[in-house]
Amino acid sequence: EKGGYEHFMLKEIYEQPRSILDSMRGRMIAESGHLMMGGVREYENKFVNADRIIIVACGTSWHAGLVAEYLIEDLARIPVEVEYASEFRYRNPIITEKDIVIAISQSGETADTLAAIELAKSKGATIFGICNVVGSSIARATDAGAYTHAGPEIGVASTKAFTAQVTVLTIIAMIIGSKRGTLETTRVRQLIAELESIPAKVEEALKLNDQIVEISKKFKDATNFLYLGRGYNFPVALEGALKLKEISYIHAEGYPAAEMKHGPIALIDEQMPVVVIATKDSSYEKIVSNVQEVKARKGKVIAIVTEGDTTIPSMADHVIEIPETSEHLMPLLSVIPLQLLSYHIAVMRGCNVDQPRNLAKSVTVE
Ligand code: F6R
C-alpha cells in the first residue's frame, strides 16, 4: 500500500511529478495558449467582473491560498484577500454579491472552512471550491469548483495536495488574466510551457533526497528553526515551518525575510538553523542582504537556491540547488526540499510521521 516507501508521506512526496501533471492535464494547450476549466467557464463573467476575491482555508491549504494571492493579483489584477476560515467566520466580514470566495481544502471536510462558506453564501457571494476529495462536504456546498487530482492523501502532513492546489490556482489565475486582458497571449503560452515542464523539474528536485538526508543529520537535534522567504517564496517559508513543526515537533517559524529585522533577528545565534529560500527572482538581491544579516549573527544558513547561483552559496553553510523556473511557479519546486527536510528530520527523531501526535487528517470540529 505504501508502494515500497517507508511512510505514506514519503510516497506522497515522490508522487508529486504525477499529481501535479494530473492536476493540469486537459486544462491547457501551450501552442495556442488555450486554457480550460469547466467550473471557471460557468462563472467566467463573475470572475472577470469580480471586485475582489476572498480566499478562505486553513493550514497548508491557506498557504496555497497565499501563493494564489500573489498569482491572481499579478496575473489578473483583481484584489485578493486570504483569510483563515476560523477568523473570517466570526469577524462579521464585509461580503457582497460581487465577491468571489475561493475555498481551498484537501479533505473538503474542514469545519471552519465549511462554516466560512455558509456565511459567505448567506451574503450572496459566489463560492468556488478547490478540493481534493470528490463529493466531499465542501465540494457539495460550493456553486462551482475545480478538483485537484492529487489522488488520496493519507499522510497527515499535506504534501502533494499543496502542490496540486498551487497548480490549479495557477491555471485559474491565468484564465482570469487572459479573459480580463491583463495577461497577454504570448505570456500565457510561455507560462503554460513552463508549467508543463514542472513535473520533470520536481523529479530533478527529488534527486536532492540523499543530500537532504545528510543535512538532516546535522540539524535533527535543533530545538528551533527559522524559515525565510520573500515574494512567491514567503508562503513556502510558512509551509516549510509548518511541516517541520507538525511531524518533528521542533519549534519552527516562517517569516517574510524582510520582517526578520523587526523582531526574529533577536533569536539568531550559532544554535539557530535558518532555512532561506533564495531562488533567482525579483527579490533575489534583497534576500542576499537578509542572508548576510543572518551570517553576521552566526546563524546557520541552509539555502535553497537556483541551479548555478554562486553568490548565496558563497555565504551559506549548506546549499540545496533546485532547477530554474518562472518565479510564478517557483513554490512548486522550492517546497520539495522543505518537505524532504522535515520528513527526514522527523524520521531521525523517531517520530510517527504519518500520524503525528494531536493531529487528524480532517478537522471536522472547530
Ligand atoms: C498541514 C495540514 C493541515 C491542513 C488543514 C486544512 O500539513 O495537513 O494544516 O492543511 O487542516 O485541511 P484541508 O485542506 O483538508 O481543509
Side-chain angles (χ1 to χ4, degrees), residues 58-61 104-110 113 138 156-158 165 239 242-243 246 361-363:
C58 303
T60 289
S61 297
I104 309 172
S105 176
Q106 186 286 128
S107 63
E109 302 297 341
T110 302
T113 308
I138 292 175
V156 163
S158 187
Q165 289 163 343
E239 175 59 8
L242 177 64
K243 286 289 89 89
E246 49 181 356
K361 187 63 188 162
S362 44
V363 184

Side-chain angles (χ1 to χ4, degrees), residues 62-63 84 222-230 233-246 248-260 262-268 272-277 294 300 302 338 341-342:
W62 184 81
H63 296 154
Y84 285 116
T223 46
N224 292 286
F225 259 83
L226 269 182
Y227 285 74
L228 305 176
R230 300 184 76 133
N233 283 323
F234 156 54
V236 178
L238 299 184
E239 175 59 8
L242 177 64
K243 286 289 89 89
L244 189 71
K245 274 184 270 214
E246 49 181 356
S248 75
Y249 317 139
I250 296 175
H251 171 241
E253 296 208 53
Y255 265 94
E259 273 294 306
M260 197 177 59
H262 300 288
I265 199 163
L267 295 167
I268 295 175
M272 179 66 98
V274 185
V275 177
V276 186
I277 310 150
V294 174
K300 295 277 176 292
I302 304 162
L338 305 190
L341 183 70
S342 62

